[in-house]
């Protein structure tokens, strides 16, 4: 490693710390930098990166832990759209140390941890007390997914990475052998998996850092069906489109899909049909059987049989694009395929018109209504009014982050909705538990986003922003873990507003009448110091306490009494153990629906399309019955069934006479 590599890396870290006004130590900044660079091609949001954060007490020598299914991060098993076949799983386990060497002791700790957390025979209860809740949660996500997809797994890959500021050319034999030992251990647990252990030093980190996202790309084409005013309908070779989607490392450029409202849902019926078309060898061209791709751009110039496209955003055709990419990634021998795919390129800078194009192209197929909220007028209005007040609102992932805006200055629909629940509804428990899936329920969505005039979002955002700065300044000193930041931010916001009005029973109209100057004058420091005086404050580090009615109520009551804030007990909405915004996928958990579907299922194996037959008899949508059957399978009442074959929960084939 050149001496200058270390100097340059340290200067980058110093700049990051200053530009982000980060009060964390340089080790934390280094960890975050390493993780972001390693997973750059995964195109994760700041929230998604944070979800895999493990570092802290009892972390077992692991800083980040992620499970990807078909290239998509698995954060929430309930809302994840499960692929029906051909599942690929990738597990990333990342450790980073702000040292200028690679330590054997770090790997010794990892070996012990990996021997325990990847052992399927060990129950979580055996490990509680040995490892922190973040690590156990990520372990649970991985194991639950592994069991669920065992019968469908075509690829299982483990990637262990140890990052430091050291020189990988000087790795000691003992250090390398420990990495090899970890790989061997994993292969003993999962016999058909792929596993690697990679050491990344200063030189490799700089190389990752220098790889920038390319939004200006060349797309070769064979024929132009229509071309006028930088708007084109083209026929392109499928293989040229595959290369267009691939970065220098041969990975999918996921950032090209930022504006697309859908996630890739794996090998469902539609994608299986696309794959069947790709694999078949016939005289039927691909574009005859496929609707094609829609690309939005800020500029598209014809250079003669190739188009130079600036600010590429693929807004329709995600399923087709990922299926094409996955197919040719696994079948390099077919890269001489001459079939065509149809691609529309539309040059348009006006946000309103772009939104209409996105919504129209995605409404042409079966997309859930909640997925299209990014183009709602209320979402555009919130973005506009926050921007006028110097704040940023991402209706779509990473729009402002890609412009270099500090992630702590950026709000998204989930973060600002959670702030509404905490500050307006005064419900800390629901605000902490709120997940993106609440938007699937139109009543919940309207209750939050369409309740009051638009200026309330400016007040909520400013209160949260100020509270976040105070939390960041205090939580390390008070030994509060990072998972508690969101909870503390909502609690601090609620109590501080109550302290300003000397009454926790303040009204939304009182909030609306606040000026930015009023909010900036709030006594956040006084309130945070009171919160930290709560006798059981360290219990906040435990997730169950952050969700506990008793703990939250006692904490709020302590603050109101200490600060002399008037309150009426019945406004503490944590009194109801049921979370009003909890969404149950497709009513699958509704006992009445399950009771109706269960007796209508014949003996397995079921005939193809059984859910449609039952849905017709019950006079309800096919997807509701399909999800209900999935729920019954998850409960262990029926076997998993694929192409007429039955499998148990461990993926073992079941033979029924």
């Amino acid at each position: 490693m050149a001496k200058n590599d270390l100097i340059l890396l340290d200067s980058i870290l110093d700049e990051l710390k200053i530009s982000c006004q980060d009060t964390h130590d340089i080790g934390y900044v280094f960890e975050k930098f390493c993780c972001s660079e390693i997973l750059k091609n995964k195109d994760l949001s700041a929230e998604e990166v944070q979800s895999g954060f493990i570092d802290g007490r009892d972390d077992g020598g692991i800083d980040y832990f992620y499970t990807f299914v078909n290239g998509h991060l698995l954060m929430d098993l309930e809302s994840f759209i499960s692929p029906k076949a051909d599942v690929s799983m990738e597990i990333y386990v990342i450790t980073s140390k702000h040292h200028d060497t690679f330590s054997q002791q770090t790997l010794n700790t990892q070996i012990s941890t990996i021997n325990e957390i990847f052992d399927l025979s060990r129950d979580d209860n055996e490990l509680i007390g040995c490892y922190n809740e973040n690590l156990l949660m990520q372990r649970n996500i991985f194991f639950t997914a592994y069991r669920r997809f065992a019968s469908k797994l075509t690829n299982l890959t483990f990637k262990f990475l140890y990052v430091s500021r050291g020189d990988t050319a000087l790795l000691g034999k003992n250090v390398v052998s420990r990495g090899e030992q970890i790989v061997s251990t994993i292969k003993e647990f999962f016999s058909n998996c792929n596993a690697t252990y990679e050491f990344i030093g200063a030189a490799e980190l700089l190389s990752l850092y220098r790889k920038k996202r390319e939004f200006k790309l060349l797309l070769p084409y064979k024929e132009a069906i229509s071309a006028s005013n930088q708007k084109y309908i083209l026929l392109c070779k499928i293989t040229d489109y595959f290369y267009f989607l691939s970065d220098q490392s041969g990975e999918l450029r996921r950032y090209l899909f930022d504006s697309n409202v859908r996630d890739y849902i794996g090998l469902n019926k539609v994608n299986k049909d696309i794959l069947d078309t790709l694999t078949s060898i016939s005289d039927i061209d691909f574009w005859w059987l496929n609707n094609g791709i829609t690309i939005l751009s800020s500029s598209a110039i014809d250079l003669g049989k190739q188009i130079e496209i600036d600010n590429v955003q693929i807004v329709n055709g995600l399923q087709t694009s990922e299926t094409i990419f996955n197919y040719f990634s696994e079948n390099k021998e077919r890269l001489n395929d001459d079939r065509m795919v149809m691609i529309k390129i539309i040059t348009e800078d006006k946000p309103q018109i772009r939104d209409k194009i996105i919504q129209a192209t995605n409404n042409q197929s079966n997309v859930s209504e909640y997925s299209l909220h990014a183009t709602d007028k209320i979402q555009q209005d919130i973005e506009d009014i926050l921007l006028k007040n110097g704040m940023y609102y991402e209706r779509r992932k990473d729009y402002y982050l890609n412009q270099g805006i500090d992630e702590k200055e950026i709000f998204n629909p989930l973060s600002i909705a959670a702030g509404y629940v905490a500050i307006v509804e005064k419900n800390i428990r629901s605000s902490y538990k709120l997940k993106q899936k609440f938007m699937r329920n139109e009543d919940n969505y309207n209750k939050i986003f369409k309740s009051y005039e638009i200026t309330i979002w400016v007040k909520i955002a400013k209160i949260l922003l100020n509270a976040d700065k105070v939390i960041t300044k205090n939580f390390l000193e008070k030994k509060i873990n990072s998972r508690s930041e969101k909870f503390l931010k909502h609690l601090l916001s609620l109590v501080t507003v109550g302290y300003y009005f000397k009454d926790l029973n303040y009204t939304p109209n009182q909030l609306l009448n606040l000026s930015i100057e009023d909010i900036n004058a709030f006594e956040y420091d006084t309130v945070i110091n009171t919160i930290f005086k709560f006798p059981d404050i360290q219990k906040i580090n435990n997730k169950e306490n952050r969700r506990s009615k008793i703990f939250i109520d006692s904490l709020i009551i302590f603050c109101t009494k200490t600060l002399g804030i008037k309150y009426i007990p019945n406004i503490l909405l944590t009194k109801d153990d049921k979370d009003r915004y909890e969404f149950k996928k497709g009513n699958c958990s509704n006992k009445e629906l399950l009771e109706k579907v269960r007796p209508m299922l014949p003996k397995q194996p079921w005939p193809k399309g059984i859910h449609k037959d039952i849905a017709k008899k019950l006079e309800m949508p096919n997807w509701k019955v399909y999800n209900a059957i999935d729920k019954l399978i998850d409960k262990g009442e029926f076997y998993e069934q694929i192409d007429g074959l039955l499998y148990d929960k461990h993926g073992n084939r079941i033979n029924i006479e």
Side-chain angles (χ1 to χ4, degrees):
M1 175 185 71
K3 181 180 179 181
N4 288 340
D5 288 344
L6 188 56
I7 295 171
L8 183 55
L9 177 61
D10 286 344
S11 68
I12 291 170
L13 294 172
D14 289 338
E15 284 180 20
L16 278 175
K17 186 172 172 60
I18 293 169
S19 64
C20 296
Q21 296 180 331
D22 204 319
T23 57
H24 296 90
D25 61 30
I26 194 66
Y28 179 87
V29 175
F30 179 71
E31 286 177 7
K32 197 170 180 181
F33 172 75
C34 294
C35 185
S36 296
E37 293 304 317
I38 288 167
L39 298 176
K40 184 186 289 182
N41 288 331
K42 298 295 184 183
D43 197 38
L44 303 182
S45 67
E47 179 186 359
E48 288 171 327
V49 171
Q50 185 64 23
S51 73
F53 182 69
I54 305 296
D55 189 25
R57 186 176 179 182
D58 298 328
D59 61 15
I62 294 173
D63 294 330
Y64 291 90
F65 187 140
Y66 302 93
T67 299
F68 293 88
V69 174
N70 287 355
H72 294 267
L73 179 63
L74 190 55
M75 289 176 62
D76 181 8
L77 287 162
E78 289 183 23
S79 61
F80 188 76
I81 303 174
S82 300
K84 301 305 172 188
D86 287 6
V87 175
S88 175
M89 289 180 64
E90 268 185 309
I91 294 82
Y92 278 75
V93 178
I94 303 171
T95 295
S96 55
K97 300 292 181 185
H98 189 249
H99 303 155
D100 55 9
T101 58
F102 292 90
S103 166
Q104 182 178 329
Q105 182 55 47
T106 297
L107 283 106
N108 291 342
T109 302
Q110 286 182 6
I111 289 170
S112 174
T113 301
I114 287 161
N115 266 302
E116 293 188 328
I117 66 170
F118 286 106
D119 185 349
L120 274 167
S121 67
R122 302 193 71 143
D123 188 83
D124 270 359
N125 292 329
E126 298 178 51
L127 303 178
I128 292 175
C130 301
Y131 301 104
N132 65 38
E133 64 172 280
N134 303 337
L135 179 54
L136 295 180
M137 180 176 69
Q138 293 304 323
R139 175 186 192 261
N140 182 257
I141 287 174
F142 162 63
F143 271 2
T144 303
Y146 178 73
R147 290 188 179 104
R148 179 179 295 181
F149 302 136
S151 62
K152 312 167 190 176
L153 266 180
T154 57
N155 179 60
L156 176 63
T157 299
F158 292 87
K159 294 187 177 182
F160 296 91
L161 301 106
Y162 178 6
V163 195
S164 82
R165 294 158 54 252
D167 187 347
T168 53
L170 302 177
L171 283 170
K173 290 183 179 179
N174 288 342
V175 170
V176 174
S177 67
R178 289 292 187 272
E180 292 170 349
Q181 186 178 342
I182 287 172
V183 169
S184 299
T185 299
I186 285 294
K187 288 185 175 181
E188 288 175 9
F189 285 136
F190 306 93
S191 58
N192 294 319
C193 76
N194 300 307
T196 58
Y197 199 104
E198 185 177 355
F199 296 91
I200 296 178
E204 290 80 10
L205 267 178
L206 283 176
S207 179
L208 288 171
Y209 177 73
R210 287 166 177 153
K211 288 181 181 177
K212 303 299 181 184
R213 293 173 168 180
E214 294 182 83
F215 286 92
K216 179 179 283 189
L217 298 170
L218 288 173
L219 176 63
Y221 69 90
K222 284 293 184 181
E223 292 183 44
I225 299 174
S226 174
S228 65
N229 197 25
Q230 294 195 47
K231 296 174 178 62
Y232 306 88
I233 300 177
L234 308 172
L235 291 181
C236 306
K237 287 177 61 176
I238 300 178
T239 50
D240 284 338
Y241 185 59
F242 164 75
Y243 289 122
F244 178 81
L245 295 173
S246 307
D247 67 12
Q248 295 175 345
S249 304
E251 295 191 45
L252 180 64
R253 302 180 196 264
R254 295 191 180 278
Y255 56 87
L256 299 182
F257 302 95
D258 281 353
S259 292
N260 202 298
V261 297
R262 285 183 272 179
D263 281 331
Y264 182 65
I265 56 178
L267 201 62
N268 65 352
K269 184 181 184 304
V270 174
N271 294 333
K272 190 174 187 306
D273 289 344
I274 297 172
L275 184 60
D276 288 344
T277 305
L278 285 170
T279 55
S280 65
I281 301 175
S282 69
D283 295 330
I284 301 175
D285 207 335
F286 181 81
W287 74 276
W288 298 356
L289 306 174
N290 187 272
N291 291 332
I293 316 295
T294 302
I295 296 175
L296 279 180
S297 69
S298 59
S299 171
I301 308 298
D302 190 345
L303 302 178
K305 291 301 180 181
Q306 59 180 354
I307 303 288
E308 183 184 73
I309 313 172
D310 201 6
N311 292 321
V312 173
Q313 284 292 285
I314 299 169
V315 299
N316 186 256
L318 171 62
Q319 311 299 319
T320 300
S321 298
E322 288 218 26
T323 303
I324 287 173
F325 178 82
N326 292 337
Y327 174 72
F328 285 108
S329 293
E330 297 169 5
N331 297 276
K332 302 290 188 184
E333 72 280 1
R334 295 291 303 273
L335 284 171
N336 59 350
D337 197 318
D338 288 327
R339 286 177 294 175
M340 307 287 183
V341 60
M342 184 171 68
I343 298 176
K344 289 189 292 184
I345 302 172
I346 303 171
T347 300
E348 184 55 66
D349 282 327
K350 293 180 180 177
Q352 298 90 339
I353 297 177
R354 290 171 68 93
D355 285 340
K356 285 181 179 178
I357 294 169
I358 294 167
Q359 187 164 18
T361 54
N362 282 283
N363 265 332
Q364 291 170 357
S365 45
N366 184 24
V367 182
S368 302
E369 186 65 30
Y370 79 92
S371 296
L372 299 173
H373 281 310
T375 61
D376 282 359
K377 183 179 183 301
I378 183 63
Q379 297 297 323
Q380 297 176 38
D381 289 345
I382 294 172
E383 181 180 18
D384 289 343
I385 198 164
L386 288 190
L387 199 57
K388 287 176 182 176
N389 285 272
M391 292 175 283
Y392 305 93
Y393 184 68
E394 288 191 336
R395 296 182 288 127
R396 299 191 192 93
K397 187 178 72 171
D398 290 352
Y399 178 77
Y400 289 108
L401 195 65
N402 287 336
Q403 298 179 39
I405 304 299
D406 180 7
E407 65 186 57
K408 287 187 175 292
E409 304 285 331
I410 299 171
F411 293 92
N412 59 41
L414 177 61
S415 65
I416 207 162
Y420 174 96
V421 175
I423 298 167
V424 178
E425 295 194 346
K426 309 178 181 74
N427 190 335
I428 301 299
R429 183 170 182 270
S430 288
S431 72
Y432 174 70
K433 293 175 62 180
L434 197 70
K435 296 181 180 178
Q436 195 70 50
K437 57 190 175 183
F438 89 91
M439 296 176 72
R440 297 184 186 183
N441 183 302
E442 206 67 21
D443 290 336
N444 286 342
Y445 176 78
N446 290 334
K447 178 177 174 57
I448 289 179
F449 285 109
K450 300 182 180 181
S451 296
Y452 298 100
E453 66 177 70
I454 194 71
T455 54
I456 199 152
W457 299 108
V458 177
K459 315 304 167 66
I460 290 171
K462 191 60 179 175
I463 292 167
L464 291 172
L465 200 60
N466 289 353
D468 192 56
K469 290 177 181 177
V470 174
I471 295 296
T472 302
K473 184 173 65 177
N474 282 274
F475 90 98
L476 272 179
E477 177 188 342
K478 303 296 183 179
K479 297 183 179 179
I480 302 299
N481 66 33
S482 60
R483 294 277 178 176
S484 303
E485 283 188 79
K486 177 182 174 183
F487 177 89
L488 268 177
K489 178 167 63 176
H490 294 166
L491 177 67
L492 176 60
S493 298
L494 169 63
V495 178
T496 302
V497 176
Y499 187 49
Y500 177 83
F501 291 117
K502 304 303 180 187
D503 188 349
L504 206 60
N505 197 33
Y506 57 82
T507 66
N509 283 334
Q510 287 177 280
L511 282 174
L512 285 166
N513 290 329
L514 289 170
S515 67
I516 296 298
E517 289 73 23
D518 291 333
I519 295 171
N520 287 337
F522 281 179
E523 297 183 57
Y524 292 96
D525 287 330
T526 299
V527 175
I528 195 68
N529 288 332
T530 301
I531 290 172
F532 285 133
K533 289 177 183 176
F534 181 60
D536 292 326
I537 189 59
Q538 289 302 320
K539 289 184 178 179
I540 204 172
N541 286 329
N542 184 284
K543 179 175 67 175
E544 297 308 314
N545 288 326
R546 297 194 296 269
R547 297 181 172 207
S548 164
K549 162 193 177 303
I550 296 173
F551 180 79
I552 297 172
D553 282 359
S554 60
L555 181 48
I556 293 176
I557 291 170
F558 172 83
C559 291
T560 56
K561 288 184 176 180
T562 305
L563 294 167
I565 303 171
K566 179 182 176 183
Y567 78 98
I568 301 171
N570 65 3
I571 72 166
L572 296 180
L573 297 181
T574 53
K575 62 182 182 296
D576 184 358
D577 278 333
K578 184 178 179 181
D579 185 350
R580 74 184 66 191
Y581 292 111
E582 189 172 2
F583 177 80
K584 296 300 183 182
K585 180 181 173 184
N587 292 333
C588 294
S589 60
N590 185 294
K591 290 183 180 179
E592 184 180 349
L593 176 59
L594 297 182
E595 292 300 327
K596 288 180 179 179
V597 172
R598 185 186 291 108
M600 299 182 74
L601 287 165
K603 183 179 179 181
Q604 289 184 278
W606 300 314
K608 189 175 181 180
I610 184 66
H611 67 289
K612 295 179 181 178
D613 296 335
I614 296 175
K616 188 174 182 180
K617 292 175 184 176
L618 294 176
E619 297 182 344
M620 61 174 54
N622 291 338
W623 65 269
K624 279 193 176 183
V625 175
Y626 187 94
N627 286 341
I629 294 173
D630 253 5
K631 184 69 175 181
L632 292 170
I633 292 172
D634 286 344
K635 287 163 66 73
E637 296 186 32
F638 296 96
Y639 294 117
E640 181 76 45
Q641 181 172 323
I642 302 173
D643 295 331
L645 302 178
L646 306 180
Y647 301 86
D648 65 17
K649 65 180 181 180
H650 301 296
N652 300 315
R653 174 85 177 275
I654 301 296
N655 294 313
I656 296 180
E657 298 298 332

